[in-house]
Amino acid sequence: MIRCLLTLLVLCLATPVWAREQAPDFVLTGQIVGGDHQTYKPVSFDVPDGVTRLTVAFDYTGRDQKTVIDLGLMDPHRFRGWSGGNKRTFTLGVEDATMSYLPGPLPAGRWTLLLGVPNTRAETVASFEARIFLERTPGGPSLAAKPLKAGAGWYRGDLHAHTGHSDGSCQTQSGARAPCPVYRTAEAATARGLDFIAITDHNTTSHFAAMAQLQPAFDRLLLIPGREVTTFHGHANVFGPTAFIDFRLGDAAVPNVRTLQSLAEGAGGFLSINHPTALSGEACMGCGWTAPDTDYARVGAIEVANGGSERAQGGAEGPLLGVAFWEAQLNAGHRITAIGGSDNHDAGLSSDIASSIGRPTTVVHAPELSTTGLLAGLRAGRVFIDFDGSRDRLLDLSARTARSTATMGGALAARRGETVIFTATVAGADQARLEIVQDGEKRAPVFTRPGVFSIRMGDRPSWVRVNLRDTDGRLLAIGNPIYLSPAP
Ligand SMILES: [Zn+2]
Ligand SMILES: [Zn+2]
């Protein structure tokens, strides 16, 4: 519950203040008259100490009479930007700003909103109102202020990608390599038909400003803020917040992994252990998950399928697939969502190669297409991994007893000896066959109809999930479990 409250609080803070209908700190009003034609009018206000974000929402009357008011901003020491007549709201933070404006510290003192008047008629009197909102909370940029798509449904995306803000590179015009700008990743995800992509550069927060600038132009592709917390004892993606999360595991500030987990939760983040069975030591420094004392009750997801690992081992299955690691945690009683991520480091990589953007794709049943909605969907666990990154493949599972039902990621109570009927729903995979896994073991139950099978409840908690394989046995998709518990 506390975790939920923290999540709501931080996501609330990440919403632009003017979109939350909070009272402004200043309301600056005035009039523009005929004599103001082709002049500049400074309007000043005093900013106190400790401000981390300043947002301006501006409006005026007289447009019907061809009055035009341009906007700019000066802080006590320097020019902070000019948007002319092209933006009615803008925000400046320490790390990001609306395009046209300069991010950076917001010094206390007298600030000036610059009004330029390219035109007003001699007889016109226009009124303007500037609402100024100040914030004092740490945190990075706000990305999408409202859902990109309303309504519950399956949303397809990639939860692990790097850009030039860490070690991602791509081809230059002349065929050389250069740090890859974030827009290339967004364009590749769009070409792939994805609904969302998390950009997870190593430890830094420097990609969030670029994402905040790109999001309005990519209004069908949700850009999820993430970072790959990269330690000497393993890597974990934290999705959601844009504030810095200290990654220095083993250092005084982050003495153990539970502190790291608390930092991620405190920031409203969702933590996923990446490529847990990757090599460690000098073969791949810090890549495998070896952090002792991990509190798996507080791990949101495990990246069981990593595109880079798939490419390295030449197929979905092999020693680098994280299914056995994940299932061991399920057998220990934890409910952790399995996800996939391309771990892309080159947005230009051909789409038929594992680790290109969207290979694998994680498909999430979410209440809406927003960061809040996607994280809620990941927590709920109605999620499957589509290795090929298709645009239409579906793998879902439901279960029922005489008294209750559950869907993938959910829980169902059943009496000892009671029959639980499962229904797997598959689309976009002709002639594929289902593989049933119970408590980590493959099962061969009798199908009463295509996709329908039953399991008799034992006297201990159990979990059941399905995979999808093609006629050659190649693994196409991994589904998440339904958790069974003995009813009293
Ligand atoms: Zn990694
Ligand atoms: Zn990575």
Side-chain angles (χ1 to χ4, degrees):
M1 188 61 186
I2 289 171
R3 195 167 158 186
C4 287
L5 288 173
L6 283 170
T7 304
L8 285 172
L9 178 66
V10 172
L11 290 170
C12 177
L13 292 174
T15 305
V17 68
W18 49 268
R20 278 187 264 140
E21 298 182 356
Q22 283 192 2
D25 293 81
F26 304 105
V27 179
L28 311 173
T29 58
Q31 291 185 329
I32 298 293
V33 298
D36 295 320
H37 180 71
Q38 295 190 344
T39 65
Y40 295 96
K41 280 178 77 87
V43 180
S44 296
F45 56 99
D46 292 322
V47 170
D49 278 324
V51 172
T52 56
R53 179 171 296 278
L54 184 153
T55 301
V56 176
F58 186 78
D59 206 356
Y60 63 95
T61 64
R63 287 187 178 82
D64 290 347
Q65 291 78 45
K66 302 292 184 191
T67 298
V68 176
I69 305 178
D70 289 344
L71 283 180
L73 190 66
M74 307 279 289
D75 76 12
H77 313 295
R78 65 169 182 143
F79 172 72
R80 294 300 292 261
W82 178 260
S83 56
N86 61 62
K87 295 178 182 75
R88 287 197 208 175
T89 62
F90 57 86
T91 185
L92 294 81
V94 175
E95 297 172 357
D96 69 291
T98 303
M99 283 194 276
S100 306
Y101 291 89
L102 298 166
L106 304 171
R110 181 145 293 187
W111 286 58
T112 304
L113 192 63
L114 294 174
L115 306 186
V117 187
N119 190 62
T120 189
R121 293 176 185 164
E123 71 282 5
T124 301
V125 177
S127 299
F128 67 81
E129 180 184 270
R131 291 177 295 143
I132 315 274
F133 301 87
L134 306 178
E135 291 177 71
R136 292 173 177 78
T137 48
S142 307
L143 300 183
K146 59 182 187 347
L148 267 54
K149 198 170 175 186
W154 291 102
Y155 294 105
R156 317 179 86 85
D158 191 339
L159 289 165
H160 192 161
H162 298 275
T163 73
H165 286 273
S166 58
D167 49 353
S169 66
C170 48
Q171 200 168 49
T172 66
Q173 290 176 306
S174 67
R177 307 290 301 177
C180 205
V182 179
Y183 83 89
R184 296 263 189 105
T185 297
E187 290 191 336
T190 301
R192 189 90 205 191
L194 300 185
D195 299 306
F196 64 88
I197 186 159
I199 298 183
T200 54
D201 280 307
H202 294 286
N203 292 337
T204 190
T205 59
S206 66
H207 47 302
F208 297 141
M211 292 169 72
Q213 289 188 350
L214 289 174
Q215 185 66 84
F218 286 84
D219 56 359
R220 290 180 177 167
L221 175 72
L222 179 70
L223 302 175
I224 298 178
R227 86 278 291 133
E228 185 168 13
V229 176
T230 305
T231 80
F232 301 137
H233 311 283
H235 300 180
N237 279 344
V238 177
F239 306 112
T242 53
F244 169 65
I245 292 172
D246 201 328
F247 54 85
R248 293 170 290 178
L249 181 59
D251 214 21
V254 194
N256 56 58
V257 74
R258 291 179 184 233
T259 309
L260 178 62
Q261 291 182 274
S262 297
L263 290 173
E265 288 162 11
F270 180 90
L271 185 139
S272 168
I273 294 175
N274 292 348
H275 45 69
T277 51
L279 299 174
S280 291
E282 291 188 348
C284 190
M285 285 163 252
C287 295
W289 189 259
T290 58
D293 300 326
T294 304
D295 184 355
Y296 285 97
R298 295 157 60 202
V299 170
I302 293 175
E303 185 194 66
V304 306
N306 174 283
S309 299
E310 182 180 345
R311 196 174 169 191
Q313 69 190 3
E317 291 182 280
L320 303 179
L321 186 68
V323 166
F325 180 97
W326 167 56
E327 290 184 336
Q329 301 310 326
L330 300 183
N331 283 341
H334 302 296
R335 295 180 180 179
I336 301 174
T337 304
I339 62 170
S342 70
D343 206 354
N344 178 266
H345 284 74
D346 176 358
L349 202 62
S350 171
S351 63
D352 56 354
I353 297 174
S355 83
S356 61
I357 301 279
R359 281 202 59 180
T361 287
T362 302
V363 189
V364 182
H365 196 278
E368 63 182 23
L369 186 58
S370 67
T371 294
T372 316
L374 256 295
L375 298 190
L378 289 172
R379 284 190 175 91
R382 195 171 172 196
V383 172
F384 69 94
I385 301 163
D386 177 357
F387 280 93
D388 295 336
S390 75
R391 291 170 190 250
D392 60 352
R393 192 162 289 161
L394 176 67
L395 177 63
D396 197 8
L397 185 66
S398 63
R400 63 185 159 89
T401 63
R403 286 158 289 118
S404 53
T405 60
T407 51
M408 191 159 65
L412 190 71
R415 292 199 192 92
R416 184 164 171 259
E418 188 174 5
T419 297
V420 183
I421 299 170
F422 289 84
T423 303
T425 306
V426 176
D430 286 345
Q431 302 189 335
R433 66 178 173 83
L434 287 166
E435 178 175 78
I436 317 301
V437 184
Q438 182 177 17
D439 303 330
E441 304 289 336
K442 302 218 167 72
R443 296 272 186 252
V446 176
F447 285 86
T448 51
R449 288 202 313 275
V452 180
F453 60 94
S454 60
I455 282 178
R456 197 167 293 275
M457 183 67 198
D459 49 14
R460 289 200 313 230
S462 178
W463 54 265
V464 175
R465 64 178 198 82
V466 291
N467 291 327
L468 202 58
R469 292 183 182 274
D470 72 8
T471 47
D472 296 328
R474 187 173 69 91
L475 187 58
L476 300 177
I478 290 176
N480 271 281
I482 290 177
Y483 302 93
L484 304 178
S485 58

